[in-house]
Amino acid sequence: MSATSDRAPRRTPSGLAERAADRVAEMTESVPPGSRLGTKEDLRTLCGVSVGTFNEALRLLQARGLVTVKPGPGGGLFSAEQSPMVRLGNSVLALDARANDVADAVRIRDALDPLLIEDALWHASPADSAGLRRHITAMEQAVAAADPVAFVHANWRLHAAIAAISPNALLRSLYTHLLDLVESHTLTVLPAGEQPLGEYIAQRHELHRDLVDALERRDRDEALRLIHEHNTTLQPVGDTAAQSSS
């Protein structure tokens, strides 16, 4: 998965576009897949927004897999057939607009970790293991540089790389959506309670290093023990202490 910092900044939709998209989305829920909702102009008028704003709303709806557009006579907007993956993605997209739900996203992400560890134990190749080692090295370098922000991003890249090993496309998609959500709302890294931040990230580095060691040995019991410790050790949002936007 490409890290958020490697992508172009996301364009934030306007509130009017979001509301227009929500109104059309409600219409799709009340009709069978493939139903005609109306022309673009009909729906734009219904939503009471400008052409530009409705086009923005339409892009949101298409990105979420909720509508299709058909040209020509009898064309217009139609409710789309959604796969289970698209429906799960839409749940995450809804969270993306509410930063207060980031902690819930972390909790769900943590619940998926043992499934991804199981898949990594079975499916990790030597190349995959080498890739995980590179992320561990990046975390170690961030600890040495006393750079908690770099540590957090290297940490997330490690988890994304573990997720990428899974052959389960649905699991990979949901997990990486959640990881993107947490990362996109994280502003800075703060100390966790009274423990010095440098000491905290050093401990987290050791835990992740031991986890990768266990994966390489195919030591299922140890890997699952470590991921349980990872997710139950006191940690604020984002794995390491982080401040999310409000």
Side-chain angles (χ1 to χ4, degrees):
M1 180 189 71
S2 298
T4 301
S5 58
D6 296 332
R7 296 195 296 262
R10 297 177 181 173
R11 179 183 175 186
T12 303
S14 69
L16 286 174
E18 284 278 8
R19 287 194 289 274
D22 288 344
R23 184 161 188 181
V24 176
E26 289 175 1
M27 295 174 64
T28 67
E29 294 172 358
S30 62
V31 297
S35 299
R36 187 173 185 273
L37 304 173
T39 65
K40 286 177 63 176
E41 183 58 23
D42 290 338
L43 296 172
R44 183 193 71 79
T45 301
L46 177 67
C47 294
V49 296
S50 67
V51 172
T53 297
F54 189 75
N55 286 338
E56 191 177 3
L58 181 56
R59 283 192 293 270
L60 287 171
L61 291 161
Q62 289 176 307
R64 296 172 186 177
L66 296 176
V67 302
T68 56
V69 180
K70 298 180 182 179
L77 269 66
F78 292 76
S79 60
E81 180 71 46
Q82 295 184 57
S83 68
M85 190 178 300
V86 168
R87 287 194 291 270
L88 284 169
N90 287 335
S91 298
V92 176
L93 286 169
L95 283 176
D96 193 49
R98 300 193 301 272
N100 288 337
D101 287 336
V102 172
D104 284 339
V106 172
R107 187 166 60 88
I108 297 168
R109 187 210 69 170
D110 288 351
L112 298 178
D113 274 327
L115 296 176
L116 291 165
I117 293 300
E118 290 275 12
D119 281 354
L121 285 163
W122 283 98
H123 299 286
S125 67
D128 290 327
S129 296
L132 299 183
R133 285 288 171 199
R134 286 193 291 273
H135 295 300
I136 291 294
T137 298
M139 293 169 72
E140 183 178 8
Q141 291 170 343
V143 171
D147 187 344
V149 173
F151 179 86
V152 167
H153 286 280
N155 182 354
W156 284 329
R157 285 168 178 76
L158 172 66
H159 283 278
I162 293 172
I165 296 170
S166 173
N168 188 319
L170 182 60
L171 178 58
R172 288 198 314 269
S173 176
L174 179 56
Y175 189 89
T176 53
H177 269 98
L178 291 165
L179 203 58
D180 278 345
L181 171 64
V182 174
E183 186 170 8
S184 68
H185 281 297
T186 299
L187 298 178
T188 189
V189 179
L190 301 172
E194 298 180 358
Q195 185 179 24
L197 186 54
E199 179 182 317
Y200 182 82
I201 64 174
Q203 290 178 357
R204 300 302 287 182
H205 163 255
E206 291 176 5
L207 189 152
H208 287 83
R209 181 198 61 204
D210 292 347
L211 175 62
V212 170
D213 286 345
L215 290 175
E216 286 189 350
R217 297 194 308 269
R218 312 286 184 183
D219 187 337
R220 181 178 181 274
D221 290 343
E222 179 66 1
L224 292 176
R225 184 191 70 78
L226 287 166
I227 200 63
H228 176 74
E229 179 181 343
H230 173 280
N231 293 340
T232 55
T233 303
L234 177 63
Q235 52 174 313
V237 169
D239 191 351
T240 299
Q243 177 180 319
S244 65
S245 59
S246 59

